[in-house]
Amino acid sequence: MRLHDYFRSSASYRVRIAINLKGLTVERRFVHLRRGGGEHRAPAYAALNPQALVPTLEDGALAIGQSLAILEYLDETVPDPPLLPRDPVLRAQARSFALSICCDIHPLHNLRVLETARESGGDEAAWARRWIDAGLSPLETLARRWGNGERAVGDRTSIADICLVPQLAAARRFGCDLQAVPTLLSIERALAALPAFDAAQPQLQPDAE
Amino acid sequence: MRLHDYFRSSASYRVRIAINLKGLTVERRFVHLRRGGGEHRAPAYAALNPQALVPTLEDGALAIGQSLAILEYLDETVPDPPLLPRDPVLRAQARSFALSICCDIHPLHNLRVLETARESGGDEAAWARRWIDAGLSPLETLARRWGNGERAVGDRTSIADICLVPQLAAARRFGCDLQAVPTLLSIERALAALPAFDAAQPQLQPDAE
């Protein structure tokens, strides 16, 4: 198994956490998104992943992008420990929570969108904060409803937690005020104690600057 | 089962297709996103779905937003006909294709983001076309690689197709030129012959204007 990865990418960070939770050893290839016009735009990488985004997971005949598809694939092929609850209601809640981040927060502040916001004369950090603040507020409500204060949904680590931690790290990078989301911060503190989450942090990766 | 829905929402359109494919009868509640400042912002709806987005699916104790979480829930609770291939590689490809739309195209042109782009002085249709064009081009490559010209991945209808059809409808609404994506159009034509896709079209819904 080979992971194409960039230390600062939230989507890559999610996959690193999952790989650590599963105890997998994977080959790492680093794709620097800011160097040389973006190594993700190089023909060989774009042939592998036509979206030219990170991460990409290769496993035998498989080469896919999209972090949540990678998490689901890892969970189906290496079932222990599970990344999704067994109960259908909790399972749906975990996916919904994760998708709220992956669809409605992160894509609005990733590199290509910020570049476009800046070209249009906007303030890119303000643009990022706007969508992160708008996105985290309902997740605070949902985590109170669905979680236990240490996990976002139910009482076991799931894809909801795996998506939450990189999103909070990104929120800090853009200077968001996180006082309004104490439950999310309490979950983050609980998860920080897990080696799988700790070792996946951007600044601990071999390609970190 | 109860679906909170809006005829023009791409995410709701996906869920309508899935419900039709599964042959389910659900209670429909219509949430008009442009009427009265947006019915999705009404307190009762926002209490049900704190993201205040459509769709929301209610089923017993469950109330979730996020169309892909709803599709996965429907597929796990009503397995026939399946919305995902059985083969792990095809399954991962179907999820990756669907997520490319749900994460990297649709959120960049939904109503709230367009409103913000306009407030910032941008041309909202041009903003939408930019991200739709950028997003469909790699999907054309992936559909050639993974599909059969009538389905986006493998040779059975999957979540990839369910997400593709509403995205192409949105592309036309914003005036995108679709000549560069002939494989996606060929898949769309094949799917249009299926009653489940036909009946889910926005203009055929009870709340259509």
Side-chain angles (χ1 to χ4, degrees), chain B residues 62-104:
Chain B
L62 181 75
I64 52 162
Q66 294 297 330
S67 59
L68 280 184
I70 295 172
L71 299 190
E72 296 265 3
Y73 176 77
L74 291 175
D75 209 35
E76 290 181 345
T77 52
V78 186
D80 259 351
L83 305 181
L84 282 165
R86 275 202 173 176
D87 172 74
V89 169
L90 288 172
R91 211 171 157 82
Q93 290 167 341
R95 285 194 175 113
S96 182
F97 192 99
L99 284 159
S100 295
I101 293 171
C102 300
C103 296
D104 291 321

Side-chain angles (χ1 to χ4, degrees), chain A residues 65-66 76 91 96 104 145, chain B residues 47 65-66 76 91 96 104:
Chain A
Q66 293 299 330
E76 290 181 345
R91 210 171 158 82
S96 182
D104 292 321
R145 193 177 290 177
Chain B
Q66 294 297 330
E76 290 181 345
R91 211 171 157 82
S96 182
D104 291 321

Side-chain angles (χ1 to χ4, degrees), chain B residues 3-204:
Chain B
L3 178 67
H4 299 260
D5 183 5
Y6 177 56
F7 74 105
R8 203 182 271 126
S9 147
S10 291
S12 300
Y13 190 174
R14 295 171 200 147
V15 174
R16 293 195 298 265
I17 296 169
I19 283 171
N20 293 347
L21 284 168
K22 298 286 188 187
L24 298 171
T25 305
V26 304
E27 184 192 341
R28 304 273 294 273
R29 294 278 176 91
F30 301 106
V31 183
H32 200 294
L33 300 193
R34 290 181 186 267
R35 193 180 291 153
E39 292 175 359
H40 55 302
R41 299 193 180 103
Y45 186 74
L48 188 69
N49 178 341
Q51 274 207 296
L53 297 172
V54 288
T56 301
L57 184 78
E58 290 187 87
D59 188 25
L62 181 75
I64 52 162
Q66 294 297 330
S67 59
L68 280 184
I70 295 172
L71 299 190
E72 296 265 3
Y73 176 77
L74 291 175
D75 209 35
E76 290 181 345
T77 52
V78 186
D80 259 351
L83 305 181
L84 282 165
R86 275 202 173 176
D87 172 74
V89 169
L90 288 172
R91 211 171 157 82
Q93 290 167 341
R95 285 194 175 113
S96 182
F97 192 99
L99 284 159
S100 295
I101 293 171
C102 300
C103 296
D104 291 321
I105 307 181
H106 176 240
L108 295 168
H109 70 74
N110 76 5
L111 187 58
R112 63 190 190 129
V113 177
L114 290 186
E115 284 170 352
T116 306
R118 191 178 50 219
E119 285 163 19
S120 318
D123 173 342
E124 65 181 281
W127 170 275
R129 282 196 298 274
R130 177 189 180 120
W131 298 114
I132 296 173
D133 289 344
L136 290 181
S137 170
L139 291 179
E140 171 72 14
T141 305
L142 290 175
R144 285 182 202 176
R145 193 177 290 177
W146 293 344
N148 71 349
E150 300 195 333
R151 298 295 184 272
V153 174
D155 53 14
R156 308 241 343 229
T157 307
S158 75
I159 59 170
D161 304 301
I162 292 172
C163 293
L164 177 61
V165 165
Q167 186 57 62
L168 290 174
R172 283 197 191 83
R173 214 162 65 232
F174 290 110
C176 292
D177 177 0
L178 297 174
Q179 285 192 340
V181 293
T183 310
L184 301 182
L185 295 181
S186 140
I187 296 164
E188 184 190 39
R189 274 194 301 277
L191 295 166
L194 304 181
F197 281 74
D198 181 58
Q201 292 183 75
Q203 70 273 20
L204 301 181

Side-chain angles (χ1 to χ4, degrees), chain A residues 6-16 54-55 67 106 109 162-163 166-167 169-170 173:
Chain A
Y6 177 56
F7 74 104
R8 202 182 272 127
S9 147
S10 290
S12 300
Y13 190 174
R14 295 170 199 148
V15 175
R16 292 194 300 262
V54 288
S67 60
H106 176 241
H109 70 72
I162 292 172
C163 293
Q167 187 57 60
R173 216 163 62 232

